Amino acid sequence: MLNLSSKGIKNQEAWKNKNIELPNFSYEEMIQNTKDNPTWVHFGSGNIFRGFIAALEQTLLNSGKEESGIVAVETYDYEIIDKIYSPFDNLSLQVIMKPDGKLKNTVIASIAESIAADTERKDNWTRLNSIFTKPSLKMISFTITEKGYNLKSLSGDFSAEVQQDIKNGPANPSNVMSKVTSLLYTRFKAGKLPLAVVSMDNCSHNGEKLYNAINTIATKWSENNLVEKEFVAYVNDATKVTFPWSMIDKITPRPSAIVEKKLTKLGIENLSPIITGKHTYIAPFVNAEGPQYLVIEDNFPNGRPALEDAGVYFTNRETVERVERMKVCTCLNPLHTSMAVFGCILGYTLIADEMEDECISALVNKIGYEEGMPVVTDPQILNPMDFIKEVIEVRLPNPFIPDTPQRIATDTSQKVGIRFGETIKEYVKRADLDVTSLKYIPLVIAGWCRYLLCVDDEGKKFEISSDPLLGTLKEYLSEIKLGQKYIKGTLKPILSNKNIFGSDLYEIGLGEKIENYFEEMLAGPKAVRNTLIKYLK
């Protein structure tokens, strides 16, 4: 049997006989080098980190271009450290799921140390602060999801946790952004040491969101005389602290039962996934697709790893934003959302299966190539046509990526303004485009409203994914019933909401069109399918 541990991987022949790639460097030396001279701390220890970012560092370690690894820090779900990192000596197994069903398996050993950012775990918090005093530290990075940067509740006020942190100062923070600000204060006190603070989360202007949160807390502490004013100046001194923007793209879904079965068959022990008390689905392995992209603004005041040698694109902020817009507004995310809402209504539970559906396949092609591509600004470092071709022909149809429309449909009210609203605004703004010519984006918006009725295309109730505006949206739709006459204007509170779509869709000539599509989808069972056939076949 194969054991995923520092001792277990010493039996190299056994792993290689199973065609599992091992690290090509001394694991023990890497740990010692990291302890002596840490260079990279990463916050957020989930699948995208282990399956993508840690693997980048392993490439550099394998080639001798780096000598130290990454310090992984968990800020939210400490069970991940206790049950997935510590028992396996911080090793994990990266499993690339190819479209032909073959797996490429690699032991990832670039994580030197794992820490729970829990102030109640005194040893952990002391160690983390010690790392931040080291001149060798070049960068800290984040995959904590977009919610991690939000300091305020839905009411617009600071959350109770953040209010408490603002009152208490840097000594015993609770919120993740407060903790990072406290650690930066430690670095400031150690001699105003330079550092790049890099969000790698999948959200637009991620570096700006990270800066705003940290600067807000630092400023509040200064106003309350809990830190020196010079600390705020340090956070805002681009020769000392930077907040580069980035774009990340790689699908690392929940652990697949198929993958677990195949790995167990190879003889690897103890790989069963766990569900933590905070509902994190995680395993000692990470199953992921092969294609991956990471584009980072090259602004590192204390140097950085040579990640370009591992396939990372370094560029300027403007180019990062163009790549982000290309992906989020045209070439990937709008296609995902389109598949999510119709997939749920039509009873699909796997994204790949939807690509076998002629209507849905036609829809994503038309939204991407016909309606989205005219507004894309070519970022030059990635070709938009090549990118979308790979998405539609390789990534979405991959039957071995266990991604679901139900997962992607989560928080759709927070996404449609970017995924469709930005394209709509470009059509309004540009003289060479006519916003009223849009057909397929309005069809998806109508489909999302139909999805919110919680009734599938057979007329059966189904549970829709979580969304912060769900209660309000369902209230607007409460009088609408499948098979009953639709009263014009019922959707107006939703479609005119600029906070959702970025525009009043009636003012720009799309509101009535969306209502007409929606009315057709309400005719009765099979009405959604018939509407798709009418406009797509």
Side-chain angles (χ1 to χ4, degrees), residues 266-283:
L266 287 176
I268 310 174
E269 297 178 305
N270 303 322
L271 291 183
S272 297
I274 66 164
I275 304 173
T276 70
K278 291 188 173 179
H279 307 292
T280 302
Y281 290 70
I282 195 164

mmCIF file of all heavy atoms in Angstrom, residues 266-283:
data_model
loop_
_atom_site.group_PDB
_atom_site.id
_atom_site.type_symbol
_atom_site.label_atom_id
_atom_site.label_comp_id
_atom_site.label_asym_id
_atom_site.label_seq_id
_atom_site.Cartn_x
_atom_site.Cartn_y
_atom_site.Cartn_z
ATOM 1 N N LEU A 266 -5.233 2.046 -7.014
ATOM 2 C CA LEU A 266 -3.775 2.100 -7.186
ATOM 3 C C LEU A 266 -3.040 1.700 -5.910
ATOM 4 O O LEU A 266 -1.821 1.501 -5.929
ATOM 5 C CB LEU A 266 -3.346 3.516 -7.589
ATOM 6 C CG LEU A 266 -3.666 3.975 -9.022
ATOM 7 C CD1 LEU A 266 -3.249 5.427 -9.207
ATOM 8 C CD2 LEU A 266 -2.999 3.092 -10.058
ATOM 9 N N GLY A 267 -3.776 1.646 -4.806
ATOM 10 C CA GLY A 267 -3.157 1.217 -3.556
ATOM 11 C C GLY A 267 -2.803 2.340 -2.605
ATOM 12 O O GLY A 267 -2.030 2.141 -1.663
ATOM 13 N N ILE A 268 -3.367 3.550 -2.817
ATOM 14 C CA ILE A 268 -3.075 4.672 -1.916
ATOM 15 C C ILE A 268 -4.067 4.643 -0.758
ATOM 16 O O ILE A 268 -5.277 4.572 -0.957
ATOM 17 C CB ILE A 268 -3.146 6.022 -2.658
ATOM 18 C CG1 ILE A 268 -2.306 5.973 -3.941
ATOM 19 C CG2 ILE A 268 -2.651 7.144 -1.759
ATOM 20 C CD1 ILE A 268 -2.433 7.201 -4.806
ATOM 21 N N GLU A 269 -3.552 4.733 0.451
ATOM 22 C CA GLU A 269 -4.376 4.593 1.649
ATOM 23 C C GLU A 269 -4.995 5.919 2.088
ATOM 24 O O GLU A 269 -4.477 7.000 1.810
ATOM 25 C CB GLU A 269 -3.508 4.086 2.815
ATOM 26 C CG GLU A 269 -2.919 2.715 2.599
ATOM 27 C CD GLU A 269 -2.038 2.314 3.768
ATOM 28 O OE1 GLU A 269 -1.101 3.072 4.109
ATOM 29 O OE2 GLU A 269 -2.307 1.249 4.345
ATOM 30 N N ASN A 270 -6.111 5.805 2.793
ATOM 31 C CA ASN A 270 -6.707 6.900 3.590
ATOM 32 C C ASN A 270 -7.002 8.159 2.781
ATOM 33 O O ASN A 270 -6.659 9.274 3.189
ATOM 34 C CB ASN A 270 -5.778 7.264 4.762
ATOM 35 C CG ASN A 270 -5.492 6.079 5.643
ATOM 36 O OD1 ASN A 270 -6.364 5.265 5.888
ATOM 37 N ND2 ASN A 270 -4.250 5.970 6.103
ATOM 38 N N LEU A 271 -7.656 8.009 1.631
ATOM 39 C CA LEU A 271 -7.931 9.167 0.773
ATOM 40 C C LEU A 271 -9.372 9.652 0.857
ATOM 41 O O LEU A 271 -9.764 10.543 0.109
ATOM 42 C CB LEU A 271 -7.599 8.826 -0.683
ATOM 43 C CG LEU A 271 -6.123 8.647 -1.024
ATOM 44 C CD1 LEU A 271 -5.952 8.376 -2.508
ATOM 45 C CD2 LEU A 271 -5.306 9.860 -0.619
ATOM 46 N N SER A 272 -10.152 9.107 1.760
ATOM 47 C CA SER A 272 -11.574 9.454 1.797
ATOM 48 C C SER A 272 -11.784 10.939 2.065
ATOM 49 O O SER A 272 -11.136 11.525 2.939
ATOM 50 C CB SER A 272 -12.285 8.658 2.890
ATOM 51 O OG SER A 272 -12.228 7.279 2.593
ATOM 52 N N PRO A 273 -12.689 11.575 1.309
ATOM 53 C CA PRO A 273 -13.016 12.981 1.554
ATOM 54 C C PRO A 273 -13.678 13.159 2.919
ATOM 55 O O PRO A 273 -14.232 12.208 3.493
ATOM 56 C CB PRO A 273 -13.996 13.319 0.433
ATOM 57 C CG PRO A 273 -13.795 12.262 -0.604
ATOM 58 C CD PRO A 273 -13.400 11.031 0.139
ATOM 59 N N ILE A 274 -13.619 14.370 3.421
ATOM 60 C CA ILE A 274 -14.332 14.715 4.645
ATOM 61 C C ILE A 274 -15.242 15.910 4.367
ATOM 62 O O ILE A 274 -15.046 16.645 3.399
ATOM 63 C CB ILE A 274 -13.372 15.057 5.810
ATOM 64 C CG1 ILE A 274 -12.577 16.345 5.494
ATOM 65 C CG2 ILE A 274 -12.454 13.892 6.128
ATOM 66 C CD1 ILE A 274 -11.902 16.973 6.701
ATOM 67 N N ILE A 275 -16.253 16.063 5.196
ATOM 68 C CA ILE A 275 -17.079 17.272 5.201
ATOM 69 C C ILE A 275 -16.897 17.878 6.580
ATOM 70 O O ILE A 275 -17.245 17.269 7.590
ATOM 71 C CB ILE A 275 -18.560 16.964 4.936
ATOM 72 C CG1 ILE A 275 -18.732 16.213 3.610
ATOM 73 C CG2 ILE A 275 -19.371 18.258 4.916
ATOM 74 C CD1 ILE A 275 -20.144 15.728 3.361
ATOM 75 N N THR A 276 -16.311 19.055 6.634
ATOM 76 C CA THR A 276 -16.012 19.677 7.930
ATOM 77 C C THR A 276 -17.276 20.237 8.567
ATOM 78 O O THR A 276 -18.338 20.300 7.940
ATOM 79 C CB THR A 276 -14.992 20.819 7.770
ATOM 80 O OG1 THR A 276 -15.641 21.916 7.091
ATOM 81 C CG2 THR A 276 -13.768 20.368 6.987
ATOM 82 N N GLY A 277 -17.132 20.664 9.786
ATOM 83 C CA GLY A 277 -18.252 21.293 10.482
ATOM 84 C C GLY A 277 -18.740 22.558 9.810
ATOM 85 O O GLY A 277 -19.877 22.982 10.016
ATOM 86 N N LYS A 278 -17.884 23.162 9.001
ATOM 87 C CA LYS A 278 -18.263 24.365 8.245
ATOM 88 C C LYS A 278 -18.631 24.041 6.804
ATOM 89 O O LYS A 278 -18.634 24.912 5.923
ATOM 90 C CB LYS A 278 -17.135 25.393 8.303
ATOM 91 C CG LYS A 278 -16.969 25.982 9.705
ATOM 92 C CD LYS A 278 -15.988 27.138 9.732
ATOM 93 C CE LYS A 278 -15.995 27.799 11.096
ATOM 94 N NZ LYS A 278 -15.036 28.927 11.187
ATOM 95 N N HIS A 279 -18.897 22.763 6.558
ATOM 96 C CA HIS A 279 -19.409 22.282 5.270
ATOM 97 C C HIS A 279 -18.416 22.415 4.119
ATOM 98 O O HIS A 279 -18.806 22.601 2.966
ATOM 99 C CB HIS A 279 -20.726 22.979 4.912
ATOM 100 C CG HIS A 279 -21.767 22.885 5.991
ATOM 101 N ND1 HIS A 279 -22.377 21.698 6.346
ATOM 102 C CD2 HIS A 279 -22.265 23.821 6.835
ATOM 103 C CE1 HIS A 279 -23.210 21.913 7.340
ATOM 104 N NE2 HIS A 279 -23.163 23.191 7.662
ATOM 105 N N THR A 280 -17.137 22.319 4.427
ATOM 106 C CA THR A 280 -16.119 22.246 3.383
ATOM 107 C C THR A 280 -15.971 20.790 2.945
ATOM 108 O O THR A 280 -15.774 19.910 3.777
ATOM 109 C CB THR A 280 -14.761 22.755 3.900
ATOM 110 O OG1 THR A 280 -14.911 24.096 4.370
ATOM 111 C CG2 THR A 280 -13.708 22.717 2.797
ATOM 112 N N TYR A 281 -16.090 20.551 1.634
ATOM 113 C CA TYR A 281 -15.863 19.218 1.068
ATOM 114 C C TYR A 281 -14.413 19.168 0.600
ATOM 115 O O TYR A 281 -14.020 19.921 -0.296
ATOM 116 C CB TYR A 281 -16.788 18.975 -0.129
ATOM 117 C CG TYR A 281 -18.244 18.811 0.221
ATOM 118 C CD1 TYR A 281 -19.010 19.889 0.671
ATOM 119 C CD2 TYR A 281 -18.871 17.566 0.104
ATOM 120 C CE1 TYR A 281 -20.349 19.741 0.988
ATOM 121 C CE2 TYR A 281 -20.211 17.411 0.412
ATOM 122 C CZ TYR A 281 -20.946 18.501 0.851
ATOM 123 O OH TYR A 281 -22.272 18.354 1.166
ATOM 124 N N ILE A 282 -13.615 18.311 1.209
ATOM 125 C CA ILE A 282 -12.192 18.314 0.900
ATOM 126 C C ILE A 282 -11.612 16.923 1.148
ATOM 127 O O ILE A 282 -12.144 16.148 1.939
ATOM 128 C CB ILE A 282 -11.461 19.401 1.743
ATOM 129 C CG1 ILE A 282 -10.066 19.678 1.192
ATOM 130 C CG2 ILE A 282 -11.451 19.047 3.220
ATOM 131 C CD1 ILE A 282 -9.459 20.982 1.710
ATOM 132 N N ALA A 283 -10.544 16.616 0.442
ATOM 133 C CA ALA A 283 -9.910 15.299 0.534
ATOM 134 C C ALA A 283 -8.401 15.469 0.485
ATOM 135 O O ALA A 283 -7.895 16.559 0.154
ATOM 136 C CB ALA A 283 -10.388 14.405 -0.607
#
